Amino acid sequence: MDYFHYLEDRLHCEEVPLEEIAAAVGTPCYCYSQRTLMRHLQAFQRAFVDTPHLICYSVKANSNLTLLKRLVDRGAGLDIVSGGELERARRAGCPGERVVFSGVGKSHDEISAALGYGIRMFNVESMPELYRINAIATRLGVRAPVALRINPDVDAHTHSHMTTGLWRNKFGIPYGQAIDLYRQANRLGHIEVVGLDCHIGSQLTTLDPFVEAIQRIGALLPLLRREGIQLRYLDIGGGLGIPYESGDQPPTPAQLAEALHSQLQQFPDVELILEPGRAIVGNAGVLMARVEYVKPVEDRCFVITDAGMNDLIRPALYNAWHGVLPVVRHFDRSEWLSDVVGPICESGDFFARDRLLPEFQEGELLVVRSAGAYGFSMSSHYNSRPGVAEVLVDGNRFSVIRQRETIEQLLAHEMTDELHRS
Ligand code: LLP
């Protein structure tokens, strides 16, 4: 459920008409609803209220500093995957104690910086990474808290690009090597073994894969205990799906909690960590664009907008389905078979294809829905297009939380001289 709705045929975000935002900020722009964001965070916090837990919002989904700060202020921790995201965590005021660091390719610098920040734990994805962390911690004279990310070899039944828990995926430590690597980790002088982690994929629309994964990795806990390895944290990753099309009914955080309840009860002495990204921010944001041209061809028309695949790449990359809505509704308009596309020089530059949509006219506004997660954060400068503005709505007020980039800023890091010596 979100707070984008029509009032007198004008699409509003909470109490603000989107037309007003377009007039003030221009297009394209991302608009986020604070109320929706908070509602989704709370849904997780309430669902797991009976279990000691920490919700570590996955920064990659949407890393805008204002959004991070609002989430952190409401008690969220952060799941990060790079030095850049660590710096965002710092600037959002997230204490190290609430930061977990995931990812298969952590660099020396990233590991040192995270140790310096005093993060809760590294989710270690390979043996060489474990030894690298130990070496850096030795040099710094600290002990590095680690969880091992175990690949449970469970099919998440989602898009192949978003499946991470199969043996064939690059993620995590193969299940069969888990116990041995824990033993090794336990013997390393500057490693403190604190947790067990898994993340099997994103946009999961059924609960069975979660249950299966927790069964698999949960079975390791008593074995480890027998070896004298007592873990404090069980991190089950993110991945809960969201409704993109009307009629989609992915499980709610409460249903996830219920499905895992009996398993989690077996581990009363571990704190649960979750890393949701999309489920918190996905439906809290839309991408607003203006129609530049309408071009009829054969059986359909191309609605060409000022936003492109560089601003929201999910349809091009995953053939993802996003709803498209007019910002002003006209009930007297007929419907047309439409392709809503951008200005980029690629045929993959589309937001919606083969869609029956009310006729659009040049200059009108539309939104691409469910764009809060993996929208701006995956945007690029392709075709030398500056980054778009981001706006946060809170009740009847809105503020720009990222300014539109200028072409000057876009080019600022490039040189025009032929020879440059370092
Ligand atoms: N934890 C880890 C270790 C992850 O790799 C991810 C997402 C998450 C948590 C958060 O997952 P979520 O709750 O958002 O599903 N770009 C794709 C999604 C890629 C997800 C990458 N990892 C998309 O646009 O759908």
Side-chain angles (χ1 to χ4, degrees):
M1 131 117 228
D2 62 54
Y3 292 93
F4 292 91
H5 56 104
Y6 285 101
L7 252 178
E8 291 174 353
D9 294 329
R10 281 166 155 73
L11 189 61
H12 285 59
C13 176
E14 302 188 13
E15 284 133 54
V16 179
L18 286 173
E19 281 170 298
E20 212 174 283
I21 297 177
V25 176
T27 55
C29 69
Y30 277 96
C31 297
Y32 308 118
S33 152
Q34 153 121 350
R35 205 176 286 166
T36 311
L37 190 72
M38 293 307 149
R39 185 190 153 92
H40 292 166
L41 173 63
Q42 255 175 26
F44 276 96
Q45 290 170 330
R46 288 198 183 134
F48 290 93
V49 72
D50 294 333
T51 314
H53 75 275
L54 180 67
I55 308 297
C56 287
Y57 165 72
S58 193
V59 173
K60 65 173 84 66
N62 186 322
S63 50
N64 183 283
L65 285 176
T66 303
L67 301 191
L68 297 184
K69 185 156 189 336
R70 302 279 158 110
L71 293 166
V72 167
D73 286 350
R74 297 287 178 98
L78 299 175
D79 160 47
I80 62 163
V81 290
S82 70
E85 289 191 354
L86 176 65
E87 184 55 26
R88 286 183 183 276
R90 185 196 311 274
R91 293 190 190 191
C94 188
E97 154 59 13
R98 283 199 250 149
V99 175
V100 298
F101 194 165
S102 309
V104 292
K106 303 174 192 80
S107 71
H108 283 94
D109 287 352
E110 288 172 334
I111 292 167
S112 305
L115 283 172
Y117 196 60
I119 64 165
R120 176 177 291 212
M121 66 187 188
F122 292 93
N123 287 332
V124 170
E125 304 224 12
S126 64
M127 183 181 336
E129 182 193 333
L130 176 68
Y131 280 84
R132 179 183 287 186
I133 293 176
N134 184 56
I136 296 171
T138 307
R139 214 173 47 234
L140 296 177
V142 295
R143 283 187 90 202
V146 306
L148 299 191
R149 175 172 175 179
I150 305 302
N151 183 327
D153 195 20
V154 165
D155 191 347
H157 299 296
T158 180
H159 191 284
S160 63
H161 289 16
M162 298 175 212
T163 298
T164 56
L166 286 174
W167 72 267
R168 177 68 188 77
N169 304 129
K170 69 176 174 181
F171 299 97
I173 288 151
Y175 191 81
Q177 298 173 16
I179 296 287
D180 179 53
L181 204 59
Y182 267 106
R183 284 184 192 133
Q184 292 187 46
N186 207 30
R187 284 197 295 265
L188 292 172
H190 286 262
I191 293 289
E192 189 187 0
V193 180
V194 295
L196 175 60
D197 169 49
C198 80
H199 169 78
I200 55 172
S202 195
Q203 186 53 18
L204 272 71
T205 51
T206 56
L207 291 171
D208 291 350
F210 285 109
V211 173
E212 209 183 321
I214 308 309
Q215 255 161 14
R216 296 267 292 158
I217 65 160
L220 296 171
L221 285 172
L223 301 180
L224 292 171
R225 207 173 298 139
R226 236 172 281 150
E227 306 248 341
I229 301 173
Q230 185 72 43
L231 301 180
R232 298 214 292 269
Y233 309 120
L234 177 63
D235 183 341
I236 63 169
L240 199 61
I242 62 167
Y244 281 96
E245 294 194 50
S246 66
D248 284 356
Q249 279 191 318
T252 61
Q255 287 166 332
L256 175 65
E258 199 188 312
L260 300 182
H261 185 71
S262 59
Q263 281 170 296
L264 296 177
Q265 270 190 327
Q266 298 165 30
F267 322 119
D269 43 357
V270 297
E271 180 177 345
L272 186 69
I273 297 176
L274 293 103
E275 302 170 354
R278 187 193 317 265
I280 289 185
V281 76
N283 275 323
V286 298
L287 172 62
M288 178 158 54
R290 200 176 281 282
V291 176
E292 293 281 12
Y293 301 101
V294 178
K295 177 158 79 169
V297 297
E298 302 281 333
D299 65 336
R300 71 192 54 220
C301 60
F302 287 106
V303 178
I304 304 169
T305 71
D306 60 2
M309 66 188 276
N310 70 300
D311 304 310
L312 175 65
I313 201 175
R314 301 194 71 260
L317 202 53
Y318 314 116
N319 206 19
W321 195 100
H322 284 260
V324 171
L325 294 176
V327 167
V328 179
R329 250 187 333 199
H330 300 275
F331 284 105
D332 53 346
R333 296 262 178 102
S334 41
E335 292 198 319
W336 293 76
L337 186 61
S338 310
D339 281 13
V340 180
V341 302
I344 305 263
C345 307
E346 299 224 17
S347 292
D349 178 25
F350 70 95
F351 297 124
R353 278 210 277 226
D354 304 321
R355 208 70 73 77
L356 215 48
L357 292 174
E359 180 191 355
F360 280 104
Q361 290 174 6
E362 188 174 321
E364 290 180 342
L365 296 165
L366 57 78
V367 300
V368 182
R369 303 184 73 188
S370 314
Y374 308 107
F376 188 92
S377 64
M378 291 182 80
S379 67
S380 76
H381 288 133
Y382 188 39
N383 280 207
S384 290
R385 289 165 49 83
V388 303
E390 294 178 285
V391 170
L392 180 63
V393 175
D394 185 5
N396 59 8
R397 292 169 308 143
F398 68 91
S399 45
V400 175
I401 57 171
R402 185 187 161 101
Q403 282 177 354
R404 185 178 306 285
E405 208 174 13
T406 62
I407 291 183
E408 195 53 43
Q409 289 163 339
L410 175 76
L411 301 177
H413 301 292
E414 292 178 42
M415 329 291 179
T416 43
D417 290 348
E418 270 178 32
L419 280 176
H420 278 278
R421 290 170 208 283
S422 53

